[in-house]
Amino acid sequence: MTAMHLCSPDDLPRILPLVARFHEEIGIASEEDHREAAIKPLLDGSPLGAVYLMGPARAPVGYVVITFGWSVEFGGIDAFVDELFIRPSVRGRGLATEALLALSKALSQGGVRALHLEVATEDQATIRLYQRNGFSIRDGYHLMSKSL
């Protein structure tokens, strides 16, 4: 299994380039100061989320950001895979599956009742990856967002 560790403030220099690469790859316009301001509270111990690095600590190959909320429908704490990125050169080796399985187990043991994520409707390969890992498209629902 690939090593995965919970990030601390010391990991900021390793996580920020990965976030920048992911945002560039999927077309999210973000500046370095914005990315740092978004990640830093999670590294500092915010109860609203966590960041995990995948691979060797000194040369990570990916990361995942989990955020937390509350769901009356699911009966308690829920979590959202906010971002999951694996370097293109190591994709297809099961790293995302390993991360999702490990996180699902740990989150469930921690009392999380549901894990959600967002995926582009045209990205069929990623949809299949998530479906193989127990996620399903919720008929009749669309994720909607409003920037504040």
Side-chain angles (χ1 to χ4, degrees), residues 8-142:
S8 71
D10 294 340
D11 292 305
L12 189 63
R14 285 177 287 289
I15 189 74
L16 286 178
L18 293 170
V19 175
R21 181 128 181 229
F22 177 60
H23 286 192
E24 181 181 325
E25 183 177 306
I26 66 168
I28 294 174
S30 66
E31 300 296 323
E32 185 173 351
D33 60 337
H34 172 85
R35 292 187 298 269
E36 183 172 341
I39 292 289
K40 196 168 179 332
L42 301 177
L43 303 182
D44 289 337
S46 169
L48 300 177
V51 181
Y52 295 85
L53 282 173
M54 293 180 264
R58 294 197 188 279
V61 297
Y63 74 96
V64 61
V65 175
I66 302 291
T67 60
F68 300 105
W70 189 267
S71 171
V72 173
E73 177 184 353
F74 288 99
I77 299 170
D78 63 351
F80 203 97
V81 177
D82 186 62
E83 295 189 358
L84 190 154
F85 174 76
I86 297 171
R87 291 183 186 274
S89 62
V90 295
R91 289 183 188 158
R93 299 181 187 180
L95 299 175
T97 294
E98 287 179 13
L100 290 168
L101 288 172
L103 287 169
S104 294
K105 182 178 179 182
L107 292 170
S108 176
Q109 290 173 346
V112 174
R113 304 295 303 254
L115 182 58
H116 313 284
L117 52 78
E118 177 182 19
V119 61
T121 55
E122 70 277 358
D123 190 349
Q124 292 299 309
T126 303
I127 290 171
R128 285 190 301 275
L129 164 75
Y130 291 141
Q131 287 175 328
R132 284 192 310 269
N133 284 280
F135 291 87
S136 59
I137 295 170
R138 296 187 69 196
D139 291 335
Y141 290 87
H142 293 279

